[in-house]
Amino acid sequence: MALPPTRILPVIDKDNAAYWTWGANGELAIHRCADCGYRVHPPVPFCPACDGRSVGPEAVSGRGRVTTFTVNHKQWVPGLAVPYVLALVELVEQPDVRLVANITHCDPGQVRFGMEVEVWFEPVEDLWVPLFRPARGAA
Amino acid sequence: MTALAEKNTAITGIGLSDVSRGASRSALALTVDAALEAIADAGLSRGDIDGIATWPGERADGSGFSPVGCAAVQDALRLKLGWYGGGGEAPGQYGAVFNAIGAIAAGLCRNVLIFRTMYEATARKTAFANALLREGQRQAGPFAWYAPYYTYAAALQQALFFNLYVHKSGIRPDQVAQIPINQRRNAALNPKAIYRTPITLDDYLASPLIATPLRLYDCDVPCDGAVAIVVSRMDVARTLRNPPVRIEAIGSSMQYRNSWTQLDALDTQAQPKVAEMMWSRTDLGPADVDIAQLYDGFTFHTLNWLENFGFCERFGAKDFIEGGRRIALEGDLPVNTGGGALSAGRLHAYGAVHEACTQLWGRGGERQVKRDPRVCATSTAGGPLAGAMLLVRD
Ligand SMILES: [Zn+2]
């Protein structure tokens, strides 16, 4: 009997470290330009909006909306629990920042386009993986 | 119109190995079969080939995705080359062709052998070779953003985009089904296709859901096989045995964010600007196209291309393909006439080029489109990747 698969973690570098570790403090870190306020994701130390170079991680609210999603039914590897939801989530602060995530804490059949969601973090090894669940207090 | 380099090139020969769900011979053997057939078909010999290209280049990772690269073929055939190039950072699978056009224009070579080899059917018998993930290893590069979320296959990423397209367009499963049903009907007439038994709407609706809204019959078929083509400088092409299939125009642009998550328009993928570029480089338009060999890694790509090439309006594909008559061999716009990757095997857009030339040269046998097709639109796709070519036989 194979064990359920674990999450495959990213290689951490100087640009993405905040995204995968600030969850320890309950914060979702997204790079932002100090000059014009534009959020740059994936994190790059350059602002394409104003050519600024003062771009670094800053906590966002952690609230977003489901841009699109899929309910996976295929058991790709032994032990994988299906169905589960893979989604792209856009931040309420800036919708062109889209995050990949699983949508948890609800039945896969309940996920909808535009659904309001909020971040939570699952600790895996030395990292904190951002995940989203239906937002509390959402309509 | 100023001189555009692709107009000085043509496809002069094609080759296709046995294509199967499990080859008895090696990937390199299949590649050599296809290469020698293409060279002979052009009326050339090994010594005439002075350039070679492939996409994405050799990947010795056991996945079968690209087991053979330029070096292996150059050595196997002992080619004497003025130029060679294989690599994946290109406008989709046709990046190899576009690079060859540039190399010919630069005077580096005159007859370029371009090939694409797949060995995924065999690879998957021993490993989960489709796995984008490696258990116990950390993921680097752009896919690291997907890796922690059980994204085991490209199908899941495409399902994200496809679901948004379904949501916006309102296309129904019975309409999507016309793509695989049409292609299986064509495959029944193609002796080299893998799956040749026709399927019905009920078969489609009963096929397993992979990831909503993708069903099994929306996905192409991993295979073992190789395709090769020869692209020649036009003055050489005019001396060879086949009527040149001219590369009338190409679309190679990257005007959007090159990202599987931040791509500007998820539901159209990278195709609209690529199509726009291709049409800007020719006096021809969608109404001049006789047949279309559209990328079909997933049915969604084919639907996308019908719209993005301008054969129908945005979100009009569902009506365009309704009932399947318009895209059938006898229809106004025959699509994927050999069965495509869905039925003839995942040869990754090069099966489509082979079928385009087969039709333009009138070699289609039972599946030959009757009214002497001269103009074929063909394309590649996948998230931020896209490339397009318009092929014309004079
Ligand atoms: Zn800025």
Side-chain angles (χ1 to χ4, degrees):
Chain A
M1 182 67 191
L3 292 169
T6 53
R7 296 187 187 276
I8 307 296
L9 298 174
V11 172
I12 299 303
D13 62 30
K14 291 181 173 60
D15 290 329
N16 73 7
Y19 185 86
W20 297 106
T21 58
W22 281 23
N25 298 320
E27 290 184 324
L28 179 62
I30 300 292
H31 269 48
R32 190 177 197 193
C33 174
D35 297 324
C36 78
Y38 184 74
R39 291 182 177 80
V40 181
H41 187 81
V44 179
F46 172 74
C47 175
C50 77
D51 288 17
R53 298 304 307 268
S54 302
V55 181
E58 182 184 294
V60 292
S61 69
R63 296 179 81 95
R65 293 185 189 85
V66 173
T67 307
T68 188
F69 67 98
T70 181
V71 181
N72 179 79
H73 290 271
K74 184 176 169 69
Q75 192 177 56
W76 298 96
V77 293
L80 181 66
V82 293
Y84 60 90
V85 177
L86 180 72
L88 296 178
V89 171
E90 58 191 52
L91 295 185
V92 292
E93 286 88 352
Q94 187 178 310
D96 75 351
V97 173
R98 292 191 200 119
L99 311 180
V100 187
N102 300 122
I103 306 296
T104 63
H105 296 78
C106 70
D107 186 280
Q110 293 176 326
V111 177
R112 295 284 179 268
F113 291 96
M115 191 169 100
E116 293 179 39
V117 290
E118 64 182 17
V119 76
W120 69 281
F121 300 91
E122 182 177 297
V124 186
E125 298 179 21
D126 56 332
L127 303 181
W128 295 77
V129 176
L131 297 165
F132 285 85
R133 63 191 173 201
R136 285 165 296 188
Chain B
M1 196 170 275
T2 55
L4 299 174
E6 68 264 39
K7 294 183 194 298
N8 196 34
T9 64
I11 300 173
T12 52
I14 57 175
L16 178 64
S17 73
D18 286 339
V19 181
S20 72
R21 292 283 279 167
S24 59
R25 297 160 64 241
S26 72
L28 184 56
L30 299 177
T31 311
V32 169
D33 286 351
L36 294 179
E37 185 174 295
I39 294 166
D41 184 41
L44 296 169
S45 62
R46 274 189 299 148
D48 299 313
I49 299 298
D50 55 3
I52 189 168
T54 192
W55 184 98
E58 183 175 313
R59 288 190 183 172
D61 57 5
S63 71
F65 183 69
S66 187
V68 179
C70 287
V73 177
Q74 187 269 348
D75 191 59
L77 302 182
R78 306 293 166 99
L79 301 174
K80 306 246 187 302
L81 305 174
W83 173 82
Y84 61 103
E89 293 203 332
Q93 296 85 334
Y94 291 163
V97 180
F98 305 159
N99 288 343
I101 291 166
I104 290 171
L108 305 176
C109 46
R110 303 187 311 161
N111 295 302
V112 182
L113 180 71
I114 302 171
F115 67 95
R116 178 85 182 95
T117 303
M118 287 289 202
Y119 214 59
E120 293 184 312
T122 289
R124 289 183 193 196
K125 288 175 182 170
T126 54
F128 179 59
N130 195 36
L132 297 170
L133 305 176
R134 295 278 179 272
E135 196 77 32
Q137 280 181 30
R138 291 207 171 184
Q139 178 73 39
F143 191 67
W145 299 101
Y146 274 101
Y149 304 107
Y150 306 117
T151 310
Y152 283 95
L156 274 90
Q157 295 171 306
Q158 293 298 333
L160 289 173
F161 308 159
F162 187 21
N163 207 22
L164 186 61
Y165 175 84
V166 168
H167 177 66
K168 286 190 177 181
S169 70
I171 193 168
R172 301 186 311 265
D174 66 285
Q175 293 171 317
V176 176
Q178 295 304 327
I179 297 289
I181 290 171
N182 171 63
Q183 294 187 205
R184 188 61 68 84
R185 194 188 303 127
N186 297 342
L189 305 175
N190 177 4
K192 288 194 117 169
I194 291 177
Y195 292 121
R196 302 186 60 200
T197 306
I199 56 172
T200 65
L201 176 58
D202 287 342
D203 293 332
Y204 174 81
L205 296 174
S207 74
L209 269 174
I210 304 296
T212 58
L214 270 183
R215 290 173 158 82
L216 182 64
Y217 282 156
D218 289 307
C219 306
D220 60 6
V221 177
C223 69
D224 295 346
V227 183
I229 63 174
V230 177
V231 170
S232 302
R233 204 172 66 194
M234 189 56 75
D235 60 328
V236 179
R238 297 218 183 277
T239 68
L240 300 180
R241 59 186 284 268
N242 293 316
V245 169
R246 296 192 294 101
I247 302 178
E248 165 71 14
I250 64 171
S252 62
S253 66
M254 174 45 66
Q255 303 290 329
Y256 307 101
R257 294 188 67 182
N258 192 345
S259 163
W260 288 83
T261 53
Q262 318 299 326
L263 177 65
D264 301 59
L266 297 169
D267 55 313
T268 63
Q269 307 190 80
Q271 299 169 15
K273 292 287 186 187
V274 169
E276 188 181 306
M277 176 179 172
M278 188 190 86
W279 292 125
S280 77
R281 296 168 75 86
T282 177
D283 295 328
L284 300 176
D288 299 307
V289 173
D290 298 316
I291 56 173
Q293 310 294 344
L294 305 178
Y295 191 69
D296 62 341
F298 300 97
T299 51
F300 166 50
H301 294 137
T302 313
L303 298 167
N304 253 193
W305 271 115
L306 285 169
E307 296 172 4
N308 290 324
F309 265 144
F311 297 126
C312 56
E313 61 185 12
R314 173 76 59 227
F315 302 139
K318 62 181 189 292
D319 300 318
F320 190 84
I321 65 173
E322 177 103 48
R325 281 177 299 278
R326 196 178 267 125
I327 57 173
L329 292 177
E330 314 76 30
D332 297 340
L333 184 71
V335 169
N336 296 349
T337 51
L342 298 177
S343 288
R346 171 177 158 83
L347 292 164
H348 230 197
Y350 284 90
V353 176
H354 188 278
E355 178 65 15
C357 295
T358 298
Q359 290 286 340
L360 296 177
W361 282 328
R363 302 178 187 172
E366 282 191 275
R367 71 182 187 282
Q368 179 63 43
V369 172
K370 294 292 184 281
R371 12 156 249 256
D372 189 31
R374 287 186 48 245
V375 179
C376 177
T378 182
S379 60
T380 71
L385 304 179
M389 288 197 286
L390 192 65
L391 303 175
V392 177
R393 174 186 50 81
D394 288 329

